[in-house]
């Protein structure tokens, strides 16, 4: 007989577990649980074996291939640099590149001899013989800082000056760290001249604007033409291999002068990506009940790792480090440890041995890494925090606050892991995608279409305290969490897209996650400026961010429901093309004085923008921004053309990543000029751009409406019903799609003719039918060919907004589908009525009512529901309460009369547990009503559409009876007859019907039973679904994933079915 | 005038105990794992016995944890099967499906007929796994196709583990038919075919099995009337041909599911108003009338089916007496509302006779797991006996009550007659195994075929009777 003995060690808590019968279950669940994921692990083993073929398999082999001896005199070395940092070797500043060769060897390359510098204008009256005076003044002010002082001719980036070059000091520092001091001495005019040379000193006394303020590493990369993630060749005979005083774990350390290395633009063979090793990991901690794990107390019990090579389809290392024993897992190594300290140290060794170039994970930046470091500190493992590539550099945790207009403010931790790039998938996804929630479950459900089992951290401890088999279950779960980031990265192509972004903009890879948008534009401007001998002023940030300028124009929409085709004409890349067409740039900006001084002629030499700013024409000087933009856009065109030809899926992905990066870069240039808190704001450019944009939209409207008229022989007078930023919607008045499309195409060409190149109006699509609700709010079927519509397109409607509950989204989606696709307005109204009735009768699933909002800044002026709730949850259980940056899930519950909405928010699981009534009125009036009326108003008219919310269907209301608190304790319930609603008394008191309704009992019974039946089926479907998801029949479901719609439904159905059973049981009181 | 016939006496049997779920005692704060656990636990010893005796000569060892199997070892393991299939309905899909797309059409089968590949393994969309206390292994090999491997079945599997962690199946064993109380077949010698050997005698009594009557449906109303008249003995004059069973010999009429018409299927509860549309429940009143007219002459047992106003999950509880204002007057005499499944014990002093019946959901659900050509209903019925389990696919694809400490669907003894209602056509056979012999009957849907089945209670011979209107 197989062993099925009861294992008393497993004591599990969790809500679900508490709810079930415990005795037998324990014995079943003592054994581990293989899941579909384990299947996958096995497949991975096979695949890694198969791929290698005859070559010896390196499956589960940690170290890198050995780098054989070679002769530096005859061998070029090429590598892809993945990280760059500033360092000091023997007191000299170097730029350290970390890189990987095509063969997968690692290299540390010290770029020597590059001095950091900046520019300062040579004051009028300064003579060549004063140079030595200046030098000594500099030496007096900042001792030992000046390496070299040159005088050269440069042109300022700001403003057109007739192309005249001016004299600049180029001030080289001995050490980049001294640059800020030198710079401020020039800027503030406190250079310390000896009194004997006070006259020269006077020239500098007022300070000046310095030029070219950029970090050392970027400066060096720019001057050496190295862009982020690009390939670099060290030519034979020019470099030396360091053999003494090695500092890193790289296979070779190499020195080279900055003059000798060759940087490659990302073309041809240099567009490849080296076989980078990517480590994806996840840790599990044994937390205590009700408290979030604390590294000072709670141990780390497992660390799962998956390592793959960029370009391979399968990871070649899959293992899990466990505290205590763990049953074997097919397809993965299990490394058991007796003490936590041993496990952490062994893991550190593992990282250094497998030597990843990129470390990824989910929330590693703010959870896994800090926890590892803090835990090691608690355990006094002083040797632990050394898993970077630099042997002697400790990994140190710092706090940082990242603030950006585009991404908002985020607090985060920063851990230096020198030489290894970190990519936290959570941060990546938060940056690039707008989602309802960012938990790993939600994200994998969204991108990978999979629900993930979510084991609550208190249960994790119980599994750990069980036996080798329960720990195995945990290990499989942990491995899955380690593998998911890897799969997400592949699916979203983060590494490839970010690599291309680094290459296009020239910034190091790590900047893309840690810095905002501006640095990318700055990098490009500096590169271009260097090429043309310009210097960029270091503008003082005065912090006045209030300055505003007029944005894009919106043609007032003619709201309504259009049952005829509406053609859409779009300006492609509107803002970049305006800047190109009108030569808008820092370098072309004019002021009146210059116009007069150079005697420039309006229109011939320069032009005035609709905003009143002056810029020189292209023939006078072509601006740098237009050149940068042209290059970006033509590079994009090329990438797109190559993409079409390319067949290799990997290269295709790279090219697609590039064209996307190019597009984003081109669009960010405009924003850069308008960023008033930025490095180089120039509102003359940004407000001119929008002014041109407004004019063009207006102009297009006029042209189209003037040409397409009955008078000109067209079937109807065309009408522009709406226009926004870069598009106009035209109603040509023709009923068929084909004609509308032909006319749209013709109109686009006709109007384009009248604009300066490269501005182009394109005909893209036809909406038919089209529901125009308001500015930036519309919906329609999207047609690009007359045979079949491509999709249903909605803008600004609640389906895509996140601060609404799922119910709103579902109702709106269904309503729009019924109206636009089925053309069934009647059906849509009936549907709305049913849903409203369901809502009021408490039949809507709780998961549909959950609203999520991000907890961002603490200092909200007005009280907000989610902030208040987070505060209340913190009081209840500080450990599980949402933290800053988290999305808070809540529902609105019935509160005191006159209570504020923010007081009525509540945690959905708390609501479920305590049967707290939902404020259905809130959902009706604050969530459903407005979006629905917006849709129905243009179709039905306001009066009729209001009835959707107030009709007879809203008269039946069901409210859940709360199980806690309030008056319920004192209330006496009297049962009512289910037939006639009279109170039941006497011998009928406990039954279902009164004596008058006995005849109807059968029908009433069937009605009650119908509800139970429905619930029974739901119950079965929900719980078996979870059994399938967890991949086991014999084990109880532990998952408490709040992002999975099943979770709330599952709990709700248990409650509902129990009360339905109670109702039904009343029929049994009577003896039939 | 309808004559009053003697009631075929039945004895209450404890076999039905697990099927009764008093409404006040129900507990839904449970999961489904306990059922599977109890199933594996209770069937383990029979499967082990069967395996040990079947593979005694093969010198293979039993491994009580399937995950401990070593590559290349030939062993046998015992566990619960799980079959994953392309068209298995999924709640998650239902809930998360984008509202833009059209809902997927209902498939007649869960399994994809194209999905099975030749090597006996399955494509990604369908796979068979065996789960024991340690975990799951995937079963592969040509033999996988040969056996009826269905979710929830407890079986022993003999095979070899491959490099890839997959288990190549050599042979499979089930628990085998449960024991049976010996019933001497009167007039039949051992080894003789029952069908050939026995002739009906005028003294024989019969039970009439019907299912899918859907009383209240207009198109078959006349057939129903004729059936009722036949059962009451009103048609004897013109139907008294030789060989036709005389109604007076029919002592019990069993309505095995789907008794009530769906015809007035309008929304029972109007969400837009408060009123309950009582007319929507009329069909059940017709069923009551229909039965009530028979009850003076004949015993009638009614069993709930999928489309009846009973609870949806197995075991379906007896249809509630509140719905039978007329028939319930006979509840102590000729009227019985029984659970689905249900055991009848007709044993007499001369011979034991136990009958097991369902209204068909158990076999119909298994049918959806099987590719065409391997989905014979009698074969499925035989397998449920060999598996010792009435409905292994519950709770996975067939809803059932979340039992805490029992799996009442385990078949503890082999019945003498075993029927399943609501099938496409009438089918019958006698299966004999290891001294056990059982009459299987697939009862056709009356509304489509006009057929009912008559079973001779002495010989257990089954014949079909068609009502032609």
């Amino acid at each position: 007989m197989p062993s099925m003995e009861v294992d008393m060690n497993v004591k599990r808590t969790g809500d679900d577990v508490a709810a079930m019968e415990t005795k037998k279950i324990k014995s079943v669940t003592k054994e581990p649980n293989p899941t579909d994921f384990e299947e996958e692990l096995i497949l991975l083993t096979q695949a890694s074996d198969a791929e290698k073929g005859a070559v010896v398999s390196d499956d589960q082999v940690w170290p890198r291939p050995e780098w054989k001896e070679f002769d530096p005199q005859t061998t070029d070395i090429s590598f892809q640099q993945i990280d760059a940092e500033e360092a000091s070797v023997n007191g000299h500043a170097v730029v350290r590149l970390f890189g990987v060769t095509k063969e997968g060897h690692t290299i540390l390359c010290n770029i020597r001899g590059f001095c950091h510098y900046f520019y300062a204008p040579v004051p009028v009256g300064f003579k060549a013989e004063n140079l030595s005076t200046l030098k000594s003044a500099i030496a007096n002010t900042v001792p030992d800082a000046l390496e070299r002082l040159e005088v050269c001719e440069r042109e300022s980036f700001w403003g057109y000056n007739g192309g005249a070059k001016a004299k600049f000091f180029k001030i080289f520092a001995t050490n980049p760290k001294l640059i800020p001091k030198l710079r401020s001495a020039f800027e503030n005019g406190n250079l310390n001249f000896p009194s004997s040379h006070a006259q020269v000193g006077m020239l500098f006394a007022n300070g000046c604007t310095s030029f070219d303020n950029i970090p050392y590493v970027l400066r060096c990369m720019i001057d050496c033409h190295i862009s982020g993630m690009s390939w670099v060749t060290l030519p034979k005979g020019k470099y030396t291999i360091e053999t003494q005083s090695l500092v890193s774990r790289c296979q070779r350390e190499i020195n080279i002068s900055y003059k000798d290395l060759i940087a490659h633009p990302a073309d041809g063979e240099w567009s490849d990506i080296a076989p980078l090793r990517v480590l994806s990991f996840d840790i599990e901690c044994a937390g205590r009940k009700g408290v979030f794990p604390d590294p000072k107390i709670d141990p780390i019990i497992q660390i799962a790792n998956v390592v793959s090579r960029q370009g391979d389809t399968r990871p070649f290392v899959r293992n899990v480090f466990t505290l205590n024993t763990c049953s074997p897992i097919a397809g993965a190594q299990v490394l058991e440890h007796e003490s936590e300290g041993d496990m952490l140290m062994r893991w550190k060794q593992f990282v250094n041995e497998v030597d990843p170039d990129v470390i990824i994970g989910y929330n590693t930046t703010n959870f896994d890494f800090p926890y590892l470091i803090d835990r090691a500190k608690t355990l006094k493992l002083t040797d632990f925090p050394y898993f970077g590539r630099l042997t002697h550099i400790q990994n140190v945790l710092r706090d940082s606050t990242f603030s950006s207009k585009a991404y908002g403010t985020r607090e985060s931790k920063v851990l230096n892991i020198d030489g290894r790039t970190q990519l936290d998938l959570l941060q990546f996804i938060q940056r690039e995608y707008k989602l309802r929630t960012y938990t790993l479950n939600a994200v994998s459900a969204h991108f990978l279409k999979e629900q993930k089992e979510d084991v609550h951290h208190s249960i994790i401890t119980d599994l750990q305290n069980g036996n080798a088999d329960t720990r195995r279950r945990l290990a499989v779960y942990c491995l899955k969490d380690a593998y998911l980031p890897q799969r997400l990265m592949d699916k979203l192509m983060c590494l490839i897209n970010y690599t291309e972004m680094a290459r296009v903009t020239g910034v190091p890879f790590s900047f893309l996650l840690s810095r905002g948008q501006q640095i990318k534009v700055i990098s490009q401007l500096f590169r271009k400026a260097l090429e043309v001998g310009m210097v960029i002023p270091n503008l003082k940030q005065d912090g006045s961010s209030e300055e505003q300028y007029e944005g894009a124009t919106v043609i007032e929409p003619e709201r309504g429901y259009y049952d005829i085709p509406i053609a859409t004409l779009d300006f492609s890349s509107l803002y970049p093309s305006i800047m190109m067409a009108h030569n808008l740039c820092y370098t072309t900006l004019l002021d009146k004085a210059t116009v007069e001084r150079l005697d420039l002629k309006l229109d011939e030499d320069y032009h005035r923008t609709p905003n009143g700013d002056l810029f020189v024409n292209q023939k006078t000087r072509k601006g740098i921004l237009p050149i940068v933009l042209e290059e970006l856009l033509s590079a994009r065109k090329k990438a797109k053309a190559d993409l079409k030809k390319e067949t290799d899926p990997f290269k295709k992905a790279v090219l697609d990543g590039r064209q996307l990066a190019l597009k984003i870069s081109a669009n960010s240039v405009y924003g850069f000029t308008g960023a008033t808190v930025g490095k180089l704001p120039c509102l003359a450019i940004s407000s001119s751009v929008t002014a041109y944009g407004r004019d063009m939209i207006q102009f297009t409207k006029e042209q189209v409406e003037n040409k397409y008229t009955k008078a000109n022989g067209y079937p109807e007078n065309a009408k522009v019903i709406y226009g926004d930023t870069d598009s106009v919607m035209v109603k040509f008045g023709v009923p068929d799609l084909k004609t509308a499309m032909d006319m749209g195409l013709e109109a686009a060409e006709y109007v384009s003719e009248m604009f300066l190149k490269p501005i182009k109006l394109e005909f893209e699509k036809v909406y038919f039918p089209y529901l125009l609700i308001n500015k930036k709010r519309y919906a329609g079927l999207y047609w690009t060919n007359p045979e079949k519509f491509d999709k249903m397109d909605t803008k600004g409607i609640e389906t895509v907004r996140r601060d609404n509950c799922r119910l709103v989204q579902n109702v709106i989606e269904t309503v729009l589908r019924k109206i636009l696709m089925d053309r069934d307005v009647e059906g849509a109204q009936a549907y709305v009525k049913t849903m409203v009735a369901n809502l009021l009768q408490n039949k809507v699933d709780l998961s549909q009512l959950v609203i999520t909002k991000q907890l961002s800044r603490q200092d909200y002026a007005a009280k907000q529901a989610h902030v208040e709730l987070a505060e209340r949850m913190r009081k209840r259980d500080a450990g599980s309460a949402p933290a800053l940056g988290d999305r808070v899930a809540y529902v609105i519950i019935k509160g005191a009369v006159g209570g504020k909405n923010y007081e009525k928010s509540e945690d959905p699981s708390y609501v479920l547990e305590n049967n707290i009534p939902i404020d259905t009125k809130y959902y009706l009036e604050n969530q459903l009503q407005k979006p629905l009326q917006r849709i129905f108003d243009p179709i039905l008219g306001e009066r009729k559409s209001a009835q959707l919310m107030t009709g007879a269907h809203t008269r039946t209301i069901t409210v859940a009876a709360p199980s806690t608190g309030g008056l319920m304790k004192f209330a006496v319930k009297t049962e009512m007859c289910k037939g006639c609603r009279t109170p039941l008394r006497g011998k009928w008191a406990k039954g279902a019907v009164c004596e008058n309704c006995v005849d109807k009992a059968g029908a009433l019974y069937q009605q009650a039973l119908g509800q139970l039946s429905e619930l029974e089926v739901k119950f079965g479907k929900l719980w078996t679904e979870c059994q399938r998801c967890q991949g086991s029949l014999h084990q109880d479901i532990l998952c408490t994933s709040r992002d999975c719609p099943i979770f709330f439904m599952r709990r709700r159905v248990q409650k509902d079915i129990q009360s339905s059973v109670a109702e039904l049981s009343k029929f049994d009181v009577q003896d039939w | 005038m309808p004559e009053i016939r003697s009631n075929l006496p039945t004895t209450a049997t404890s076999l039905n105990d697990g099927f009764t779920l008093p409404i006040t005692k129900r507990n839904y704060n449970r999961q489904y794992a306990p059922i599977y656990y109890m199933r594996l636990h209770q069937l383990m010893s029979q499967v082990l016995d069967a395996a040990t005796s079947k593979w005694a000569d093969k010198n293979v060892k039993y491994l009580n944890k399937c995950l401990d199997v070593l590559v290349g070892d030939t062993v046998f393991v015992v566990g619960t099967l799980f079959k994953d299939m392309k068209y298995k309905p999924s709640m998650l899909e239902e809930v998360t499906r984008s509202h833009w797309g059209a809902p997927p059409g209902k498939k007649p089968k869960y399994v994809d007929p194209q999905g099975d590949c030749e090597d006996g393994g399955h494509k990604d969309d369908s796979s068979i796994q065996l789960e024991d206390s340690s975990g799951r292994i995937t079963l592969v090999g040509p033999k996988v196709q040969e056996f009826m491997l269905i979710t929830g079945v407890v079986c022993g599997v003999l095979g070899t583990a491959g490099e890839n962690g997959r288990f190549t199946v050599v042979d499979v064993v089930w628990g085998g038919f449960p024991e049976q109380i010996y019933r001497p077949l009167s007039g039949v010698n051992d080894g003789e075919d029952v069908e050939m050997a026995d002739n009906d005698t005028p003294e024989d009594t019969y039970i009439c099995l019907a299912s899918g009557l859907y009383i209240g449906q207009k198109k078959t109303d006349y057939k129903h009337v004729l059936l009722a008249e036949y059962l009451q003995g009103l048609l004897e004059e013109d139907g008294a041909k030789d060989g036709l069973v005389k109604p007076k010999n029919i002592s019990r009429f069993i309505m095995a599911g789907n008794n009530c018409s769906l015809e007035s299927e309008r929304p029972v509860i109007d969400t837009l108003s408060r009123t309950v549309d009582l007319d929507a429940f009329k069909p059940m009143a017709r069923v009551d009338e229909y039965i009530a007219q028979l009850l003076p002459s004949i015993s009638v047992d009614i069993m709930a089916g999928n489309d009846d106003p009973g609870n949806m999950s197995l075991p379906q509880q007896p249809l509630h007496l509140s719905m039978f204002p007329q028939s319930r007057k006979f509840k102590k005499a000729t009227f019985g509302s029984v659970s689905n499944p249900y055991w009848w014990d007709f044993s007499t002093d001369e011979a034991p006779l136990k009958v097991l019946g369902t209204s068909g959901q158990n076999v119909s659900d298994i049918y959806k797991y099987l590719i065409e050509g391997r989905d014979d209903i009698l074969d499925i019925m035989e397998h449920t006996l060999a598996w010792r389990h009435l409905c292994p696919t519950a709770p996975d694809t067939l809803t059932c009550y979340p039992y805490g400490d029992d799996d009442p669907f385990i078949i503890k003894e082999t019945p003498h007659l075993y029927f399943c209602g609501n099938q496409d056509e009438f089918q019958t056979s006698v299966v004999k195994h290891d001294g056990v012999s059982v009459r299987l009957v697939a009862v056709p849907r009356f509304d489509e075929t006009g057929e009912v089945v008559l079973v001779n209670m002495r010989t257990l011979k089954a014949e079909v009777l068609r009502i032609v209107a």
Side-chain angles (χ1 to χ4, degrees), chain B residues 213-245:
Chain B
L213 271 83
Y214 292 105
I215 290 163
Q217 215 168 23
K218 294 217 172 49
K219 64 169 179 176
T220 50
D221 258 1
Y222 192 52
K223 274 196 282 189
H224 288 120
V225 174
L226 283 177
L227 176 63
E229 288 181 352
Y230 167 74
L231 289 171
Q232 288 170 286
L234 300 176
L235 296 183
E236 243 173 312
E237 302 306 314
D238 21 322
K241 280 187 231 130
D242 279 346
L244 192 64
V245 174

Side-chain angles (χ1 to χ4, degrees), chain A residues 1018-1037:
Chain A
K1018 209 168 161 191
F1019 179 94
K1021 279 183 171 181
L1022 289 166
W1023 284 95
T1024 51
E1025 181 73 43
C1026 289
Q1027 282 195 318
R1028 289 181 212 159
C1029 177
Q1030 73 161 0
S1032 168
L1033 304 173
H1034 291 154
Q1035 293 179 321
D1036 276 309
I1037 293 142

Side-chain angles (χ1 to χ4, degrees), chain B residues 10-20 181 339 341-345 354-356 406-413:
Chain B
T10 64
T11 334
T13 164
S14 64
L15 290 166
N16 283 322
D17 288 356
F19 301 146
T20 320
I181 301 166
S339 65
Y342 192 72
W343 284 89
W344 286 265
D345 186 354
K354 293 200 178 176
V355 177
L356 171 61
D406 189 21
D407 180 355
F409 304 111
I410 290 174
I411 304 176
K412 296 183 184 77
E413 86 175 61

Side-chain angles (χ1 to χ4, degrees), chain A residues 406-407 428 431-433 497-498 500-501 504-505 512 516-518 520-521 524 573 576 628-629 632-633 636 656-672:
Chain A
Y407 306 122
F428 174 85
R431 254 183 184 242
E432 305 290 326
Y433 298 91
N497 288 356
Y498 266 28
E500 289 306 315
M501 182 58 90
V504 165
T505 58
L512 297 175
Q517 290 289 356
Q518 291 207 23
K520 296 189 235 171
V521 182
Q524 291 174 80
S573 306
V628 168
L629 289 170
L632 287 173
L633 292 180
R636 176 168 186 234
D656 197 44
R658 177 172 311 161
Q659 71 88 10
L660 197 68
L662 287 161
K663 180 185 169 188
I664 295 169
S665 298
N667 286 331
S668 63
V669 170
Y670 154 78
F672 178 77

Side-chain angles (χ1 to χ4, degrees), chain B residues 1-28:
Chain B
M1 267 304 287
E3 54 181 308
I4 295 167
R5 277 159 267 171
S6 69
N7 193 357
L8 187 68
T10 64
T11 334
T13 164
S14 64
L15 290 166
N16 283 322
D17 288 356
F19 301 146
T20 320
L21 286 171
I23 190 124
T24 46
K25 298 229 169 92
R26 291 197 209 170
N27 177 7
Y28 289 90

